[in-house]
Amino acid sequence: MAAGAAMGVALAAAALAGTALGATRSQILSAQALEYGLLAGLLALGLTAAWYVITQIFSFNWLPDWPVVLMTLGGGALLTLGLWIADSLPVLAARPARALRQL
């Protein structure tokens, strides 16, 4: 939990610094969306690696419970999106110079 909070503070500081240095709010949000997109790509890579290990190395059948998998991924995505928006909006609404002074 502490690592997540530290990452949130680091992202907030980077967002504020970017705003203070001339980045627009849409550029900051685009950068954060790209970050989460890359994390989704890593998840897909992990799923592909899991398929390979199970089917090619262990010679088992690939039989995941797809409704459970999709509900878990969808719920995690919605929770992450909600936390991302809740964390980003106050930072983006603040005046950059004042918010940087408070850090």
Side-chain angles (χ1 to χ4, degrees):
M1 185 65 89
M7 181 178 248
V9 170
L11 284 174
L16 286 171
T19 303
L21 297 175
T24 64
R25 286 177 171 84
S26 63
Q27 288 172 327
I28 293 169
L29 288 175
S30 296
Q32 288 181 334
L34 177 65
E35 177 184 353
Y36 283 104
L38 291 173
L39 289 174
L42 287 175
L43 178 66
L45 183 64
L47 185 62
T48 303
W51 169 84
Y52 180 79
V53 168
I54 289 171
T55 60
Q56 304 302 314
I57 295 176
F58 292 135
S59 299
F60 292 145
N61 292 327
W62 179 252
L63 299 171
D65 189 2
W66 287 112
V68 172
V69 170
L70 294 176
M71 286 189 320
T72 302
L73 290 175
L78 288 175
L79 179 65
T80 301
L81 180 64
L83 292 174
W84 172 48
I85 290 172
D87 192 40
S88 297
L89 289 179
V91 171
L92 294 173
R95 296 297 238 184
R98 184 175 3 155
L100 284 172
R101 279 188 225 117
Q102 290 176 354
L103 289 177

